[in-house]
Amino acid sequence: MITSVASAILYVSDQDSALEFYRDVLGFDVVMDAEMEEDSRWLEVRPSGAQTSLVLAAAAAFGKQPGEGAYLTFAADDVAATVEQLRARGARTS
């Protein structure tokens, strides 16, 4: 029986830039960063202590467009404090 979502795939244009954002701005932990086949990389991150992770997949390697895949929402205990903390780390609204 399925008990939880293990991971969601998010297609990105630049895995290194995505890693910097999720790790350095959002504060996610790196679960795995490993080379797979030639020109392929498994890059998985998640919030500290979370069960579900994000796989930051290179869109071009899979014939996808950046942003295709999972639409994400995050939970926070104190939304206002979290917004302030993320802005201090360089996050901005679009």
Side-chain angles (χ1 to χ4, degrees):
M1 188 177 276
I2 296 173
T3 58
S4 65
V5 175
S7 61
I9 296 173
L10 182 62
Y11 293 104
V12 299
S13 59
D14 182 327
Q15 286 178 297
D16 290 323
S17 293
L19 174 60
E20 287 177 11
F21 176 74
Y22 282 94
R23 181 191 59 208
D24 301 340
V25 176
L26 296 184
F28 283 24
D29 296 329
V30 176
V31 176
M32 184 178 292
D33 187 354
E35 287 189 35
M36 303 291 281
E37 298 174 17
E38 185 177 326
D39 297 325
S40 185
R41 174 183 180 193
W42 185 267
L43 180 54
E44 186 176 352
V45 297
R46 71 174 168 223
S48 185
Q51 291 182 352
T52 304
S53 62
L54 297 176
V55 177
L56 305 174
F62 295 95
K64 302 286 186 180
Q65 294 296 314
E68 241 182 287
Y71 290 91
L72 310 170
T73 59
F74 300 108
D77 292 329
D78 184 336
V79 174
T82 301
V83 168
E84 189 175 308
Q85 183 181 48
L86 294 178
R87 285 184 177 150
R89 292 181 186 167
R92 63 184 193 283
T93 58
S94 52

